[in-house]
Amino acid sequence: MSAHLPTAVAERRGVSRDDFREVMTRFPACVTVVTAYDEDGPAGCTATAVVSLTDRPPSMAVSLNSGSGTLRRIVAAGTFAVNVLPAHLGHLVEQFATAGAAHRFDGVDFGPRHGAPVLAEAVASVVCDVTHTVPLLDHTLLVGAVVSAGATDDGEPLVLYRRAGHRLGGHRLAE
């Protein structure tokens, strides 16, 4: 099976790119900043396609655009961190998505943990050693073995839903 499915083939199957993208906005996603250090300093980008792959052994998977400079730098570094953004740092979504690589960390408090930059105010962070890179269509699935994990009870995670950032609000469903 080919890793490349042309857009025309996908649309013949009944779903246009625009329709698919619109439906995906209804899948709430935690907003993360994926980071690494290399010889040029810290690198990072926003990502919502992040998943805990398994707990045997603890592993994470992140989907990044195959043309991403951050992906290239993560692979070169061999280590990356996934940082869950708190709602009050929502402005960092745009900064890590569109600012030039040299300016993505401007004004951001971060420090090294197991060889990767971890955001000081992250709601949760996981540091991984790269174990696999799997090119799929126009993205690359980055798989990492977890070497460090931490979380705080302070703050709420930023959740992306219908193209806007939201707070969870601390409301729990009745048990």
Side-chain angles (χ1 to χ4, degrees), residues 116-127:
V118 171
L119 305 186
E121 294 186 66
V123 173
S125 59
V126 177
V127 178

Side-chain angles (χ1 to χ4, degrees), residues 16-101:
S16 73
R17 181 176 185 260
D18 290 342
D19 288 346
F20 175 73
R21 290 174 62 102
E22 185 62 31
V23 169
M24 293 311 297
T25 70
R26 301 322 195 269
F27 282 62
C30 191
V31 181
T32 69
V33 173
V34 181
T35 60
Y37 282 119
D38 69 2
E39 66 278 354
D40 295 325
C45 65
T46 56
T48 55
V50 175
V51 63
S52 62
L53 190 58
T54 182
D55 64 357
R56 295 183 187 176
S59 302
M60 297 286 296
V62 177
S63 178
L64 296 176
N65 186 301
S66 293
S68 163
T70 300
L71 172 63
R72 178 185 51 76
R73 294 175 71 183
I74 288 171
V75 171
T79 301
F80 66 95
V82 178
N83 300 273
V84 175
L85 276 183
H88 75 274
L89 292 181
H91 65 281
L92 292 182
V93 173
E94 191 72 16
Q95 184 170 323
F96 276 94
T98 63

